[in-house]
């Protein structure tokens, strides 16, 4: 019987080392020693098997590379607070493991798990379609009933697309809606969401929850223009304008150096939908863009649609409100989202928590069973998808799929296995191209600096208080690609970027 390695054409997906790592190294050794024994008896040569073993380590090293260990020492982080997994994508076993079986908080690296499940379940070309529909007729420029905007769970339904749809309605001859504009978000059944739960800063956009008719990421951009002199008012322009939301601007220009320019800025919502902005912006920073999520998604949607319909020159006899579209309605206008591949790119390049939450909830609707909590059902679906791909899920905890969580957990070994499994998926190019490139773009654009490894690592970064993580792929200087995972859970985790960069450089140098 011939020996088959991971890159042999007869090595099937079921046999591929996705679910296991070291056992395959042992099996390879047993197979090749058996071949050598037969070779002696039969006068054949089995040197090829032994040579293959030299390029695929039988046992992974558990010793931290010196540069990584020294950087952790400088950060005052103990090795037990770190987990690492490194494996060449064409090897049957990891080349470096350290605490890889310990579940750890991955922060935003959890978005890789959400992306894997979404690609596996939906495919990179999947789209969402949002519709305007009605049961009423159009007579003399008036829609003689209600207009329904029916959501599909689209993660990236932005202001421009909603505005374009409304302008097209005007193009159909609708000048006035006799009834209401009803926003139907029933595609996602969700429990109440508390935006203050994570860090008490509920008006920050990253804390927005999923919604069946999420618009413009539930975010209002605030363009800030400092004055020429200190203590003078900063000019604020809100984009988009939200009907009924009053901006109370109290931000002043300061003479401080431009460092963490947003540090002193605060936003709070007072009765009457008054958004109070306070703090200071250093004049030396020049114009900046800040963001807020002043309203829950349902209220945000009604305020945005009211504004955009008015801007399109439309009139309305009733109000803009939440509701459910009746049976028998006919579609007037529909608009499709970008494909999932583009959406995942937006999510991972810039670590969008809102998109990740939305994708996890969307996965819950594809479970095949009714649910009152699409997020919880989505988490169950992710577990099944990973298990079906041969990735172990012991210790995996998914709260919202974004990593913006104190309880989400995954083992480095399982995350590494998932990255290896990804390498053999047909949508692998879309998955990798969605990752930030270290030193060049996205959240990793400032990593590796002048290092020769700059531009050679596609990595997702993750950072919350007490957590710093990276995961992705590194192309070494010999042209071999490796899956890399490193997670740090420690009070000093914020100081471990150098240690993570040292690991990337170690892999790039071809040390594994």
């Amino acid at each position: 019987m011939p020996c088959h390695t991971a890159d042999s054409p007869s090595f099937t997906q079921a046999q591929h080392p996705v679910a296991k790592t070291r056992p395959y190294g042992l099996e390879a050794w047993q197979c090749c020693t058996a071949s050598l024994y037969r070779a002696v008896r039969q006068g054949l040569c089995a040197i090829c098997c032994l040579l293959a073993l030299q390029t695929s380590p039988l046992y992974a090293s558990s010793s931290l590379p010196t540069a990584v260990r020294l950087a952790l020492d400088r950060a005052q982080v103990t090795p037990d607070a770190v987990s690492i997994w490194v494996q060449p994508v064409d090897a049957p076993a990891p080349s470096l493991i350290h605490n890889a079986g310990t579940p750890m908080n991955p922060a935003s690296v959890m978005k890789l798990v959400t992306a894997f499940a979404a690609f596996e379940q939906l495919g990179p070309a999947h789209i969402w379609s949002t519709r305007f529909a009605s049961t009423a007729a159009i007579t003399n420029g008036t829609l003689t009933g209600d207009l329904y905007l029916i959501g599909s769970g689209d993660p990236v339904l932005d202001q421009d697309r909603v505005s374009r749809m409304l302008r097209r309605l005007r193009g159909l001859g609708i000048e006035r809606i006799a009834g209401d504009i009803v926003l139907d978000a029933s595609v996602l059944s969700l429990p109440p969401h508390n935006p203050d739960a994570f860090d008490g800063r509920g008006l920050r956009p990253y804390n927005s929850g999923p919604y069946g008719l999420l618009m413009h990421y539930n975010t209002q951009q605030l363009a800030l223009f400092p004055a020429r002199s200190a203590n003078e008012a900063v000019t604020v322009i809100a984009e988009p304008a939200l009907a009924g939301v009053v901006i109370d601007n109290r931000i002043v220009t300061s003479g401080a150096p431009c460092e963490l320019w947003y540090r002193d800025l605060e936003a709070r919502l007072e009765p009457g939908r008054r958004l109070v902005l306070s703090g200071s912006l250093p004049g030396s920073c020049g114009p900046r863009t800040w963001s807020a999520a002043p309203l829950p998604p349902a209220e945000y949607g009604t305020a945005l649609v009211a504004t955009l319909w008015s801007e399109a020159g439309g009139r309305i006899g009733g109000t803009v409100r939440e509701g459910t579209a009746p049976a028998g309605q006919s579609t007037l206008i529909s608009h499709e989202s970008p494909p999932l591949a583009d959406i995942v790119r937006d999510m991972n390049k810039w670590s969008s928590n809102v998109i990740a939450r939305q994708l996890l909830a969307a996965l819950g609707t594809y479970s095949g069973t009714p649910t009152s909590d699409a997020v919880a059902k989505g988490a169950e679906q992710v577990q099944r998808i990973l298990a079906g791909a041969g990735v172990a899920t012991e210790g995996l905890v998914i709260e919202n799929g974004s990593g913006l969580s104190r309880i989400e957990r995954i083992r480095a070994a399982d995350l590494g296995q998932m990255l290896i499994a990804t390498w053999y998926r047909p949508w692998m190019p879309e998955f990798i191209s969605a990752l930030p490139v270290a030193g060049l773009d996205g959240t990793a654009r400032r990593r590796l600096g002048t290092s020769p490894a700059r531009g050679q690592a596609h990595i997702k970064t993750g950072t919350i208080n007490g957590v710093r993580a990276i995961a992705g792929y590194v192309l070494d200087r010999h042209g071999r690609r490796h899956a890399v995972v490193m997670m740090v859970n420690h009070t000093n985790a914020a100081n471990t970027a150098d240690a993570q960069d040292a690991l990337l450089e170690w892999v790039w140098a071809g040390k594994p």
Side-chain angles (χ1 to χ4, degrees), residues 244-335:
V245 175
V246 177
I247 304 293
D248 184 349
N249 174 32
R250 305 177 188 177
I251 304 175
V252 297
T253 305
S254 78
C258 187
E259 296 174 346
L260 290 177
W261 59 269
Y262 51 84
R263 178 174 50 197
D264 296 330
L265 298 178
E266 293 291 340
R268 67 179 185 275
L269 192 66
E270 294 187 348
R273 286 188 173 179
R274 179 176 293 274
L275 181 63
V276 179
L277 309 177
S278 60
S280 61
L281 173 67
S284 57
C285 292
R288 296 283 165 163
T289 300
W290 191 39
S291 298
L295 301 172
E299 294 182 37
Y300 182 100
T302 58
L304 179 61
V305 170
T307 295
L308 296 180
W309 180 238
S310 176
E311 289 180 350
R315 294 176 292 133
I316 184 171
T319 62
V320 183
R321 61 178 176 85
E322 296 177 77
T324 304
Q329 30 79 17
S330 298
T331 298
L332 300 173
I333 294 288
S334 65
H335 205 291

Side-chain angles (χ1 to χ4, degrees), residues 443-454:
T443 57
R445 64 194 182 281
R446 295 189 178 93
R447 303 300 289 266
L448 295 179
T450 59
S451 167
R454 180 177 180 267

Side-chain angles (χ1 to χ4, degrees), residues 455-471:
Q456 306 304 306
H458 286 76
I459 55 166
K460 179 73 191 76
T461 60
T463 305
I464 57 176
N465 289 341
V467 179
R468 191 152 201 161
I470 57 170

